[in-house]
Amino acid sequence: MAHDAILEQLRRPFSAEAHHEIRETWKRHSIAEDSRDIAGLMATLTGDCVYELVQTGHRWEGHDGATAFYLELLGAFPDVVFNLTDVVIGPQGVCEMADVVGTHLGSWLGGAVTGRSVRWRVVIFFPWDAEARLFTGEKVWSHSDDPETVAILSGAT
């Protein structure tokens, strides 16, 4: 079954118009996140979107879940900044890599607030729904060599 899903993704047709639409939707999503515009973020997502932290297995589903994810993320790291290092856009969606910095000033995944300034790297995949012409959520992979940052990001503080 997974094999068939991957083949479907690999066989998706692509055009300059599709590339432009996916890129512009991702840009609107990124701008909305930077400006803390929750409604703007939701406007780029399907109603059944899923947000997933791959390492921890945490999931948020639908617009209510995505809203909860962003409120918690932006509450936990109110000064968070994503410094992009790489972006790839294709018919399957967008993949970005970023160096992230923020101050841990609110609870994240139930962990205690540390007040620490933290740095980590992320790879985020935004799957694209070609029919809805929106993203179906995000799959987020985080990495840090600092054990305290890893504990914060996993909610183990």
Side-chain angles (χ1 to χ4, degrees), residues 11-154:
R11 293 178 177 146
R12 286 185 186 173
F14 203 45
S15 65
E17 294 81 17
H19 181 270
H20 177 77
E21 181 174 29
I22 294 167
R23 183 184 68 212
E24 292 304 310
T25 304
W26 172 77
K27 284 169 48 179
R28 283 195 332 269
H29 183 93
S30 296
I31 290 166
E33 186 170 350
D34 287 347
S35 62
R36 310 320 194 227
D37 175 8
I38 301 297
L41 285 162
M42 294 309 112
T44 66
L45 301 168
T46 60
D48 62 349
C49 63
V50 175
Y51 273 66
E52 178 183 4
L53 302 181
V54 176
Q55 290 93 331
T56 66
H58 287 87
R59 289 173 55 97
W60 296 261
E61 298 181 6
H63 280 184
D64 288 345
T67 296
F69 168 82
Y70 279 110
L71 291 175
E72 186 171 352
L73 174 69
L74 298 173
F77 306 97
D79 60 348
V80 69
V81 175
F82 291 80
N83 297 304
L84 293 175
T85 60
D86 296 278
V87 177
V88 177
I89 300 171
Q92 301 83 4
V94 175
C95 185
E96 71 177 34
M97 292 181 69
D99 294 323
V100 184
V101 296
T103 309
H104 184 215
L105 298 176
S107 182
W108 175 247
L109 306 178
V113 177
T114 65
R116 286 189 74 225
S117 178
V118 291
R119 295 179 173 277
W120 70 96
R121 299 208 54 179
V122 295
V123 176
I124 305 172
F125 176 55
F126 299 79
W128 181 251
D129 182 323
E131 288 183 28
R133 296 163 54 189
L134 296 167
F135 296 113
T136 63
E138 295 183 21
K139 296 179 183 180
V140 182
W141 290 264
S142 297
H143 172 76
S144 175
D145 290 327
D146 174 42
E148 289 183 50
T149 299
V150 171
I152 291 168
L153 296 177
S154 65

